[in-house]
Amino acid sequence: MPISLGLQTDKARGAYAELAVLAEELDFDGVSVFSDLLYQSSIVPLIEMAWATERIRLGCACWNPFTLHPYEIANQAALLDEHSGGRAYVGLARGSWLDGIGVQPKRPVAHLRDAVGFIDALLEGEGRGYEGPTFRLDEGVRLVTHSRRLPILVGSWGPLGAALAGERADEIKIGGCANPAMIGVTRERLRVGADSAGRRAEDIGVVLGAVTVIDGDRDAARSLARREVAMYLDVIAELDPTVQLPPDLIPTIRERIRDGRDDAGEIIPDDVLDLFAFAGDPDDIAAQAQGLIDAGVDRIEFGTPHGTDEAEGIRLLGREVLPRLSPARRPAPGR
């Protein structure tokens, strides 16, 4: 049962290496970095972690082909793969908050599909070229030092994005989600694209990742998680078809965020918080993670900030949560 960590790109030089080494020592399977709008570029933290580690899988979840050309995504992923000794994956997603920089994606899923086709063709190194509605790669064009297809992850909540993942990806990540009910929903949505491509939906990994705050002080952990998750809840909560939210919850959160208030998350009910974040003491986090495993998730990604102190939060996850998880309780997969 792969368990990975997700880091925000807001740290000082050297901090990424320290956290990645810690993750490897604690037997996590990988570390992803986010590529949220207006944060630092992800490639420098990824290379820093690649140089400091030997085993863990590394990647960006996710690069955005609306703000970065697929050539640059492929080239940076190839660089990471070479510097990590073959441990890289490529994550792609539409992203959020793009209006603020004047980017308004049209037909985003078609654009993502086009980006996947271009990136696959360039990375595999056979020079076969690619011709899509937006992106084109001439026959014979190859990267100078890379010729290996990398695993593709698509980040998406919606049915069209899931169908794309079923058709072309190795994994789909539901970012900001800790809801077991979304696993079955996503698996059925994957099946649409998988069937059209002659693939099995069970062969595409379903990844759930969300804000994580673990602490011996349960109340402190959940209070911080509420503050951290408020900004994301505004974007993603209405995308979950299995959840009935209080009717005034999202409008009130949006209003408080718009007014610059730091109490936007205080109104999030406990049951809603547990669907969109991992929050509490080790018992809480272990129970949430085991619930996802039992529901058939293929990978869990514990996201930033991990704790009131990030390194200590990661230690608690590695020492107090990972040993309690039991893949044997999960229903037998069809893969």
Side-chain angles (χ1 to χ4, degrees), residues 153 171-175 205-209 297-301:
L153 175 147
E171 291 183 303
I172 181 170
K173 181 179 178 182
I174 316 300
V206 176
V207 183
L208 265 61
V297 77
D298 293 291
R299 178 160 65 91
I300 297 170
E301 189 153 276

Side-chain angles (χ1 to χ4, degrees), residues 17-54:
E18 291 177 4
L19 293 174
V21 168
L22 178 61
E24 194 162 76
E25 291 173 348
L26 292 169
D27 208 28
F28 286 94
D29 294 275
V31 177
S32 302
V33 299
F34 306 139
S35 190
D36 288 342
L37 193 66
L38 303 180
Y39 283 87
Q40 300 170 12
S41 175
S42 60
I43 188 59
V44 172
L46 287 168
I47 294 297
E48 181 179 306
M49 293 191 293
W51 288 347
T53 58
E54 298 179 352

Side-chain angles (χ1 to χ4, degrees), residues 3-268:
I3 307 289
S4 55
L5 299 176
L7 303 180
Q8 187 59 274
T9 55
D10 58 353
K11 308 181 196 318
R13 184 178 68 180
Y16 301 100
E18 291 177 4
L19 293 174
V21 168
L22 178 61
E24 194 162 76
E25 291 173 348
L26 292 169
D27 208 28
F28 286 94
D29 294 275
V31 177
S32 302
V33 299
F34 306 139
S35 190
D36 288 342
L37 193 66
L38 303 180
Y39 283 87
Q40 300 170 12
S41 175
S42 60
I43 188 59
V44 172
L46 287 168
I47 294 297
E48 181 179 306
M49 293 191 293
W51 288 347
T53 58
E54 298 179 352
R55 176 187 59 79
I56 55 173
R57 186 176 184 241
L58 298 167
C60 177
C62 295
W63 274 301
N64 189 326
F66 299 94
T67 60
L68 193 65
H69 193 283
Y71 162 75
E72 294 292 348
I73 295 174
N75 204 4
Q76 291 183 30
L79 179 69
L80 174 63
D81 198 50
E82 291 166 14
H83 282 259
S84 66
R87 293 182 280 134
Y89 77 89
V90 181
L92 298 169
R94 175 191 184 279
S96 301
W97 308 294
L98 297 178
D99 285 351
I101 59 170
V103 176
Q104 297 178 326
K106 297 178 180 178
R107 302 188 65 212
V109 174
H111 191 98
L112 283 172
R113 178 178 286 104
D114 205 14
V116 171
F118 181 101
I119 290 166
D120 268 347
L122 185 57
L123 287 178
E124 70 183 20
E126 296 179 0
R128 61 178 170 86
Y130 175 78
E131 186 74 39
T134 303
F135 304 117
R136 178 180 60 83
L137 182 68
D138 286 346
E139 290 187 15
V141 173
R142 299 176 175 85
L143 293 174
V144 172
T145 60
H146 185 93
S147 59
R148 182 177 87 89
R149 181 191 181 275
L150 298 182
I152 296 286
L153 175 147
V154 168
S156 179
W157 275 83
L160 295 180
L164 167 61
E167 176 189 340
R168 298 297 306 270
D170 301 278
E171 291 183 303
I172 181 170
K173 181 179 178 182
I174 316 300
C177 182
N179 181 5
M182 275 302 296
I183 298 168
V185 170
T186 301
R187 189 73 68 191
E188 288 308 306
R189 291 173 170 179
L190 285 170
R191 198 173 308 281
V192 175
D195 287 348
S196 70
R199 306 174 73 197
R200 298 196 318 151
E202 292 77 14
D203 291 335
I204 297 97
V206 176
V207 183
L208 265 61
V211 163
T212 304
V213 184
I214 185 172
D215 196 276
D217 184 335
R218 183 177 190 273
D219 291 338
R222 291 180 72 80
S223 178
L224 177 56
R226 281 185 166 85
R227 293 198 298 272
E228 293 287 335
V229 84
M231 178 176 68
Y232 298 100
L233 199 66
D234 173 41
V235 175
I236 63 176
E238 294 176 327
L239 300 177
D240 190 327
T242 74
V243 175
Q244 186 70 39
L245 297 171
D248 61 341
L249 179 63
I250 300 304
T252 303
I253 288 175
R254 286 174 180 161
E255 181 180 354
R256 292 186 178 190
I257 291 174
R258 185 174 61 247
D259 293 343
R261 294 172 56 172
D262 61 4
D263 62 349
E266 290 182 4
I267 63 171
I268 299 173

